[in-house]
Amino acid sequence: MRAQSLPVTPPAFRSEKSALLARAQGLAHPREVRPFLRELSQLTDEALRALWRDLALPPTLALVAVGGYGRGELFPSSDVDVLILLPNDCDPEADPALKSSLERFISQCWDQGLEIGSSVRTLNECLHESKHDITIQTALLESRCLCGSAELFAQFAQGFAKAMDAQAFFVAKQLEMQQRHTKHANTPYALEPNCKESPGGMRDLQVIRWVCQAAGLGGNWKEMARKGLANAFEARQLQRHEDQLGLIRIQLHLAAKRREDRLVFDLQHAVAKSLGLGTGEDGAFHARQASEALMRTYYWTAKAVTQLNQILMLNIEAQLHGQRSAPVAINARFLDRDGLIEVAHDQLYLAHPEAILETFWLFQNHPGIKGLSARTLRALYNARPVMDGHFRSDPANRAMFLRILQSPRGITHAMRLMNQTSVLGRYLWVFRRIVGQMQHDLFHVYTVDQHILMVLRNVRRFFIAEHAHEYPFCSQLASGWDQPWILYTAALFHDIAKGRGGDHSDLGAVEARKFCRQHGVGRAQTDLIAFLVAEHLSMSQVAQKQDLSDPEVIRAFARRVGDERRLTALYLLTVADIRGTSPKVWNAWKGKLLEDLYRFTLRVLGGREPDAMAEVETRKREALTQLALHALPFEAEKGLWSTLDVSYFMRHDAADIAWHTRQLSRVLADAHKQGQPVSPQVRARVSPLGEGLQVMVYTADQPDLFARICGYFDQAGFNILDARIHTASNGYALDTFQVVSWHEEHHREWIQMVEQGLTQTIAQAGALPTPGRGRVSRRVKSFPMPARVTLQPDERGQRWLLTISASDRIGLLYRIARVLAQHKVNLHLAKVSTLGERVEDTFLIDGAALQGTRSQIDLETELLDAVQAD
């Protein structure tokens, strides 16, 4: 500690602060936080007083610390907020000497390394501004006089306290908190949370302090406990969690070397290391483990803060406003108090643990109930010791939990509230292991527990008529499903074994069977739930990575599924799962692939074996029907269709066949009459799916055609979702692409640009350009994922399946296509799947370069080099 008897001089402030911050890098325990914050605040106090004294500012003025600094807490890179308080008869604009002194004081503060946020106001101005601006009022609430006129500051404090309307202040801060939570997506579980502003962050604790201080209910946690707002245990927990958040924030500022309150990916490793996390038994630092340990600590802390904030804010509201109406009995154990469930007595859960789950069943099944009262939340918080192994194995609790799952309404809200109050993880112990668990797979944007609850919500919405417009086909299937709770249970368990090592699908299926056995679920339902958990990834993998025009692919998937009921359930769970990973992962093209796979498989399960020739004839007839609407000449389709084989018609639906034919029939007829080759043709249209463009390319085939097209789309800012490559018998390529752009709202304007620009690119001769480096995101840099390239023959041994998994970046697909072109590999089908910041691309290929083992190894090696992050 610095010697307190020796006041710091302004020139020495920088060196003393640097020494203090250097020592702070060794802070690793929450109990060290408050002494550090006070010491930095005191150091700053002395420097400001010395400057004020050296400049001999008038004794009638007062220098006042406000905001967090006024609280006597200063973080390493926080602003030093001060108010220069003037008497009402003092006007710097009319007194040049005073104005010059004030300006010199402020400038010298900055010169000495005191990064102040300053305001200059008279006493009346302060009172007026605080009355009309909640931010100013909050800052002045925590003011303390550093030096100058104590009398003037006392007048200000008296006037401020007299003008304070505690009830209005509470309402304003509560609304402000709600708006702040909305800005941060109403969750403490963001992957890069703001440890100050996010729900469960430091600001949620400060709001409690502010409203209590304004109402005279205490300025610290112990005083609040004495006033009955919290009990002694809660007061200790509040202090503990405040210190934990403070420790993280201190290390964040030190790691960033600036004010940074977000736990961004770039800094998580450094903060974790400073806290002593991530050091293995071998003594080495393991960055990913350290980051996961840090974030789990943060999430658990933020979750507890959220719970305690809710309890205290409800208690403060009750003290300020009183109860609005007399409580109404729900049953012998619970009351309805102003729309909130309240326990009949504080010891209810300790005396009757089975009432814990009953709380959520009542919340779920009483439409007028909107939440839990402070008394109930406190009782739940204090009942955690009774939620033990006996509680979990109690037949009454198991029956009630199953009753909650099987309830026709409110499942999403009930499960979320159970998770928020920590009841879900304490009853379903296996769920507790994944609470706050990060997912470094580059496409999940939620922690595992939040993702599971998001998937549960998505499944539930399929069964609610008000949401039928979102995914009509899913809602149509759900309307015929008789036991929604089976899907809810599968959603609850589908990722519950994440992070254990091994296949989480198989491990999750084991946990699901155990749960069903313990809860008396029938054998048929148990088998279906376990099947859904074990296979929850299979449908998306087949739809996005395999050739759905291949009858054998559909047969194999039908054998895997077994029957229509399983197929429907798996389809609904798959759509809900993909939608629950990230807002960016789902798109209409993925929806079409899944729906196509569902419909194709349903036919096979219904006894209609795939018949390629019959299917081709059906599609031709449907295409001709559509062409008849456009007045094409008689048999105009023959010129194109005669050059196309069965695989083309199997890979394109009737609408695409009709569009290709309409665009090319006249071009081919004219070229035939003139005896000239067909020049490159590029046509684009708004995708029939409603997202992005569908682009058709018809040109003389060339080895590097796909690479050139990929290069153009990369440069033009388009992402390729799907590529269907076909070489006609006349040596022309007929390729179809589904592409999307960041500029979705202007996609019609891009059609002409794509048609002209891509035509010019195809016509260009010469070597393929060298790919650029391609920037990667901060998340990819912080949590790099190893690239993988696998090459294996398809099921019939006629072609090869190339699968590439890597971190996404600009130009990645062009790099892959360029390597394929250099090895003269023929491409038949490309399925490009972008999952957040990860890509999983699948290509159906053949070519002489694949015949020898050495050639295959060379190809895989070059592809791996191409997709590795620089």
Side-chain angles (χ1 to χ4, degrees), residues 113-367:
L114 290 157
E115 298 180 0
I116 65 170
S118 59
S119 58
V120 181
R121 296 191 183 98
T122 65
L123 175 60
N124 285 344
E125 286 172 343
C126 284
L127 298 178
H128 179 268
E129 292 292 332
S130 67
K131 185 177 180 180
H132 295 89
D133 189 320
I134 187 66
T135 303
I136 294 176
Q137 188 179 30
T138 304
L140 294 177
L141 180 66
E142 298 184 297
S143 56
R144 60 188 174 92
C145 187
L146 294 173
C147 54
S149 175
E151 180 182 354
L152 178 64
F153 179 75
Q155 292 176 20
F156 157 75
Q158 183 179 8
F160 183 83
K162 185 177 180 181
M164 173 62 72
D165 182 339
Q167 291 188 357
F169 185 77
F170 175 86
V171 171
K173 297 311 292 185
Q174 191 172 48
L175 289 173
E176 188 179 73
M177 183 172 69
Q178 291 170 1
Q179 292 168 358
R180 175 169 51 81
H181 286 183
T182 300
K183 179 181 176 182
H184 292 276
N186 288 305
T187 177
Y189 297 105
L191 294 187
E192 293 182 303
N194 187 309
C195 68
K196 181 181 178 183
E197 302 287 346
S198 290
M202 297 191 73
R203 187 67 84 201
D204 280 4
L205 295 173
Q206 290 165 357
V207 166
I208 299 171
R209 286 183 184 274
W210 291 330
V211 295
C212 283
Q213 194 169 342
L217 296 175
N220 59 53
W221 308 124
K222 290 182 179 179
E223 290 178 6
M224 293 177 207
R226 285 195 291 269
K227 294 283 187 178
L229 298 176
N231 58 37
F233 173 72
E234 290 163 350
R236 291 194 300 272
Q237 291 296 98
L238 285 161
Q239 188 62 68
R240 173 189 165 201
H241 297 314
E242 184 178 38
D243 290 344
Q244 182 64 62
L245 291 173
L247 180 61
I248 291 173
R249 191 178 182 213
I250 289 170
Q251 296 302 341
L252 254 179
H253 283 198
L254 295 175
K257 295 182 173 59
R258 65 181 188 280
R259 179 173 178 171
E260 175 59 86
D261 295 326
R262 297 169 302 145
L263 274 164
V264 294
F265 300 127
D266 316 50
L267 298 175
Q268 288 177 12
H269 297 162
V271 173
K273 189 173 184 178
S274 68
L275 297 177
L277 303 173
T279 302
E281 295 180 359
D282 56 358
F285 177 69
H286 302 278
R288 180 163 295 194
Q289 293 176 15
S291 173
E292 290 176 352
L294 168 68
M295 297 312 297
R296 176 161 283 195
T297 298
Y298 172 81
Y299 292 138
W300 279 91
T301 301
K303 184 177 183 180
V305 168
T306 301
Q307 293 174 311
L308 291 166
N309 170 274
Q310 193 174 8
I311 291 172
L312 266 72
M313 290 297 282
L314 285 169
N315 280 337
I316 295 166
E317 183 178 25
Q319 289 216 19
L320 291 176
H321 300 283
Q323 303 297 340
R324 294 183 176 84
S325 60
V328 178
I330 298 175
N331 58 30
R333 292 173 167 175
F334 297 98
L335 309 172
D336 177 349
R337 186 181 290 279
D338 298 327
L340 302 176
I341 294 178
E342 181 160 295
V343 291
H345 59 87
D346 292 335
Q347 304 303 311
L348 173 66
Y349 297 137
L350 299 177
H352 302 282
E354 71 277 6
I356 293 173
L357 293 182
E358 183 186 359
T359 308
F360 300 94
W361 185 84
L362 292 172
F363 170 73
Q364 183 182 32
N365 288 278
H366 284 68

Side-chain angles (χ1 to χ4, degrees), residues 514-541:
K514 180 180 177 182
F515 170 86
C516 290
R517 184 175 63 255
Q518 292 173 342
H519 290 76
V521 176
R523 181 174 179 178
Q525 293 94 334
T526 298
D527 289 345
L528 179 53
I529 292 168
F531 164 80
L532 292 173
V533 175
E535 298 289 338
H536 75 272
L537 297 175
S538 63
M539 193 168 193
S540 62
Q541 290 172 346

Side-chain angles (χ1 to χ4, degrees), residues 629-853:
L629 302 174
H630 296 277
L632 265 64
F634 179 66
E635 295 187 338
E637 77 284 354
K638 284 193 171 181
L640 175 63
W641 289 12
S642 63
T643 66
L644 303 173
D645 60 18
V646 171
S647 64
Y648 166 82
F649 290 99
M650 288 296 291
R651 286 187 184 144
H652 296 85
D653 59 27
D656 289 347
I657 295 168
W659 180 54
H660 293 169
T661 305
R662 187 159 49 88
Q663 298 298 325
L664 295 175
S665 58
R666 288 191 176 91
V667 174
L668 291 173
D670 291 344
H672 180 71
K673 287 179 184 177
Q674 298 170 10
Q676 297 292 328
V678 179
S679 60
Q681 301 292 312
V682 177
R683 299 289 186 272
R685 64 174 178 173
V686 176
S687 173
L689 302 174
E691 293 181 7
L693 301 179
Q694 188 176 43
V695 181
M696 178 199 73
V697 176
Y698 186 80
T699 185
D701 199 15
Q702 51 183 300
D704 59 4
L705 178 62
F706 180 67
R708 289 191 185 279
I709 294 172
C710 289
Y712 168 78
F713 282 131
D714 279 333
Q715 291 178 355
F718 287 92
N719 287 328
I720 299 174
L721 300 180
D722 185 77
R724 302 192 178 196
I725 312 300
H726 190 81
T727 303
S729 60
N730 61 355
Y732 275 72
L734 177 50
D735 303 342
T736 309
F737 298 85
Q738 295 283 341
V739 299
V740 292
S741 167
W742 294 112
H743 309 281
E744 273 307 297
E745 66 275 15
H746 303 299
H747 51 205
R748 292 185 181 276
E749 300 173 12
W750 290 85
I751 290 176
Q752 185 177 4
M753 185 201 80
V754 169
E755 290 180 344
Q756 293 178 352
L758 186 51
T759 300
Q760 294 172 1
T761 297
I762 293 170
Q764 289 175 352
L768 292 169
T770 301
R773 290 177 59 88
R775 284 172 37 187
V776 297
S777 69
R778 291 185 300 106
R779 187 176 179 188
V780 170
K781 287 179 180 178
S782 300
F783 304 106
M785 119 173 224
R788 292 185 176 87
V789 175
T790 59
L791 185 65
Q792 57 187 15
D794 66 4
E795 293 188 359
R796 288 181 287 188
Q798 297 175 349
R799 290 172 178 159
W800 294 81
L801 280 173
L802 170 64
T803 303
I804 297 177
S805 178
S807 302
D808 194 17
R809 57 180 162 156
I810 296 172
L812 181 65
L813 188 57
Y814 173 64
R815 286 169 171 253
I816 295 169
R818 189 170 180 267
V819 172
L820 296 179
Q822 290 171 341
H823 284 261
K824 296 182 171 55
V825 170
N826 300 319
L827 180 66
H828 296 275
L829 182 70
K831 288 201 169 185
V832 180
S833 180
T834 303
L835 306 171
E837 296 181 72
R838 189 179 96 194
V839 296
E840 291 187 356
D841 299 344
T842 304
F843 306 90
L844 188 62
I845 59 177
D846 65 17
L850 300 171
Q851 298 308 311
T853 302

